[in-house]
Amino acid sequence: MTAPLDIDGPAAPPRSNGELTFAEPWESRAFGMAVSLCETGAFTWPQFQSALIARIAAASEGPYRYYQLWLGALEDVLAGLSVVSPEDITARARALAQRPRGHDHGS
């Protein structure tokens, strides 16, 4: 992977014994999407990192789930580049939220 992940600090992804950890399958997919899009040149890692740090700073008043903020940062970057509109993101999130739990694969 060419994206320089932080080891320490607020933007560092959760790790256990040095390995990245994911609590849910969607978290690893969101992680992979951001890294892949960065590696293909859709945006720079500093752009994504800044969006992630901004999300973390906004959530600093209480507990948060890291990959929810990661996904939000990815949405922010893509919306900021006009790759996808915030309305499209909201509509897709609503459609996915209506699916039964465990049915996260498209038809």
Side-chain angles (χ1 to χ4, degrees):
M1 171 178 39
T2 58
L5 293 176
D6 291 342
I7 301 296
D8 296 310
R15 296 177 186 266
S16 176
N17 293 323
E19 298 290 324
L20 294 173
T21 59
F22 304 98
E24 302 280 341
W26 71 265
E27 294 175 348
S28 64
R29 290 192 290 269
F31 177 86
M33 282 191 299
V35 171
S36 294
L37 287 167
C38 175
E39 288 177 345
T40 61
F43 51 81
T44 67
W45 193 252
Q47 285 175 298
F48 177 76
Q49 194 174 36
S50 293
L52 178 58
I53 290 170
R55 284 277 181 153
I56 291 169
S60 66
E61 295 181 13
Y64 62 85
R65 290 187 55 194
Y66 180 83
Y67 288 107
Q68 286 177 333
L69 301 178
W70 179 281
L71 182 58
L74 178 58
E75 293 169 352
D76 293 345
V77 170
L78 295 176
L81 296 171
S82 299
V83 173
V84 63
S85 72
E87 295 79 18
D88 289 340
I89 292 169
T90 300
R92 183 69 176 146
R94 282 190 187 132
L96 290 172
Q98 293 174 359
R99 299 180 76 160
R101 184 158 175 79
H103 292 82
D104 58 351
H105 299 285
S107 52

